[in-house]
Amino acid sequence: MNGSPASPLAALSSPMTDPFGRTISYLRVSVTDRCDLRCFYCMSEDMTFLPKADLLTLEELDRLCSAFIAKGVKKLRLTGGEPLVRRNVMTLVRSLSRHLVSGALGELTLTTNGTQLAKHAQELADCGVRRINVSLDTLDPKKFREITRWGEIDKVLEGIEAARAAGLAVKINAVALKNLNEDELPDLMRWAHGKNMGLTLIEVMPMGEIGSGRIDQYLPLSLVRARLAQQFTLTDLAESTGGPARYASVAETGGKLGFITPMTHNFCESCNRVRITCTGTLHTCLGHEDASDLRKPLRASSDDTLLAASIDRAIGLKPKGHDFIIDRRHDRPSVSRHMSVTGG
């Protein structure tokens, strides 16, 4: 005898488990592909951004996030591009904060380059955001301008201080860049830990055409860690924040150091996250060209039955892992889309 079909309510609230038994509880949502910086490892100087008409409205982003929360997402991170350049983005943050109040969502956070943070830090805290990640690869103003092509580091440092004053826990994300900031990483760690901020180091990822190869940028974190271990006592920690980083404590600074190593050691075996672009495309893996259109079912019906079914189909196709490669034979992007489109 055939079983009864699942009810629409059951589909909306059913947990998301991929083919490898991993429960999806972490959603990263890009609210815009635009950014006010042009970091050379992330995008080309003359980027062509999506037409604004292609982007989901803030109301649609809210509905989409809420559908994932109903299906078991406990951690939601807003990204870009630079999320704080999206017009009226704080209305989205304030609306999503209702899920923190209800207890359906455990954490609402964002990753930012910090340039707009001074204006929004207090409101973020008021909305229930408790911690944020700030991307900062150097403390040298000249290097900062070189990396970002036109950025002013003082704006970022001002934003970080505003966030700390508002009571937000700040973690610094730094991409390790060969022959550019590798000698500065010990001082960057001391600075971050001295302000009670964590530091996570990230390997360059081969995503999107940037107008130059990445082989001359790529610095394996296995080498970075070996160098740091000559100066500092690093002790591996078992803890995780739900993301891909592996952590170590640093005895000399009393701080925590994270390593995100998509190249030298992928972190796929425990992957609990998916990404949605600002156009409503779901990517279940950062390193694959997989794509599921959620904008169509989102707009096809005023209820979320079609949307929930589309989400379930996409999660059912999530691959086991990615295979990023950077070497002299593979100096082209592993995936064509830029990180700013996918969501950092």
Side-chain angles (χ1 to χ4, degrees):
M1 184 173 69
N2 293 329
S4 301
S7 69
L9 183 60
L12 289 174
S13 60
S14 60
M16 298 175 290
T17 304
D18 75 6
F20 305 96
R22 298 169 298 194
T23 299
I24 307 305
S25 58
Y26 182 3
L27 177 66
R28 303 172 72 107
V29 180
S30 173
V31 299
T32 179
D33 66 324
R34 295 171 186 269
C35 187
D36 51 352
L37 301 178
R38 294 290 183 276
C39 296
F40 68 77
Y41 55 78
C42 181
M43 58 179 70
S44 62
E45 186 169 3
D46 299 315
M47 283 290 292
T48 300
F49 293 110
L50 295 167
K52 291 184 179 179
D54 289 356
L55 273 60
L56 295 181
T57 66
L58 295 177
E59 292 77 13
E60 288 173 329
L61 285 167
D62 183 293
R63 184 179 156 202
L64 193 53
C65 291
S66 298
F68 274 87
I69 292 167
K71 293 179 70 62
V73 160
K74 293 299 181 183
K75 179 176 179 178
L76 175 59
R77 179 178 297 278
L78 302 182
T79 71
E82 169 47 46
L84 296 179
V85 301
R86 174 81 189 250
R87 187 176 181 183
N88 296 325
V89 70
M90 291 307 302
T91 63
L92 174 63
V93 177
R94 187 164 292 282
S95 181
L96 289 171
S97 69
R98 72 189 186 277
H99 297 298
L100 294 172
V101 175
S102 72
L105 184 65
E107 182 177 19
L108 175 61
T109 184
L110 80 157
T111 296
T112 174
N113 64 25
T115 60
Q116 309 297 315
L117 193 50
K119 293 185 288 187
H120 299 294
Q122 187 58 58
E123 188 173 3
L124 287 168
D126 292 344
C127 289
V129 175
R130 293 293 172 256
R131 64 189 187 96
I132 60 171
N133 290 356
V134 177
S135 301
L136 179 62
D137 305 319
T138 179
L139 295 174
D140 183 312
K142 184 178 179 181
K143 285 184 183 178
F144 184 82
R145 182 170 289 274
E146 181 181 351
I147 292 170
T148 63
R149 291 194 172 99
W150 56 61
E152 297 178 19
I153 195 171
D154 287 347
K155 288 184 178 180
V156 178
L157 298 178
E158 180 186 359
I160 289 171
E161 291 308 314
R164 296 176 67 226
L168 297 174
V170 178
K171 179 168 72 69
I172 303 298
N173 287 344
V175 175
L177 299 164
K178 184 165 63 176
N179 297 326
L180 187 55
N181 70 349
E182 57 182 307
D183 293 337
E184 190 185 349
L185 296 178
D187 287 338
L188 186 61
M189 183 177 70
R190 291 188 186 96
W191 170 80
H193 290 176
K195 292 181 175 291
N196 199 30
M197 301 186 296
L199 173 67
T200 293
L201 304 177
I202 307 171
E203 290 176 334
V204 168
M205 288 181 250
M207 297 186 64
E209 188 57 62
I210 58 171
S212 62
R214 286 186 171 85
I215 189 68
D216 295 324
Q217 303 172 358
Y218 171 55
L219 180 64
L221 289 187
S222 54
L223 177 60
V224 172
R225 175 161 181 156
R227 289 175 178 171
L228 288 172
Q230 295 174 1
Q231 302 180 53
F232 303 95
T233 306
L234 307 180
T235 303
D236 289 330
L237 299 172
E239 67 183 84
S240 170
T241 59
R246 289 173 168 84
Y247 292 96
S249 64
V250 184
E252 290 77 5
T253 65
K256 189 165 67 172
L257 180 63
F259 299 90
I260 296 181
T261 54
M263 305 300 303
T264 55
H265 183 285
N266 73 42
F267 33 73
C268 305
E269 68 276 4
S270 60
C271 183
N272 65 341
R273 57 204 161 275
V274 294
R275 289 170 165 82
I276 295 176
T277 72
C278 52
T279 61
T281 300
L282 174 65
H283 295 291
T284 61
C285 179
L286 186 63
H288 280 261
E289 293 284 10
D290 74 307
S292 299
D293 179 16
L294 298 184
R295 181 172 60 182
K296 185 175 180 180
L298 183 71
R299 292 178 174 176
S301 173
S302 59
D303 71 51
D304 291 338
T305 305
L306 290 175
L307 178 60
S310 297
I311 292 171
D312 287 338
R313 280 194 297 272
I315 299 301
L317 298 173
K318 183 173 171 64
K320 188 173 184 179
H322 68 260
D323 293 300
F324 284 147
I325 300 174
I326 295 179
D327 60 27
R328 293 295 176 187
R329 293 175 300 161
H330 304 88
D331 198 22
R332 302 289 296 172
S334 293
V335 293
S336 59
R337 65 183 184 273
H338 287 82
M339 192 63 161
S340 61
V341 173
T342 307

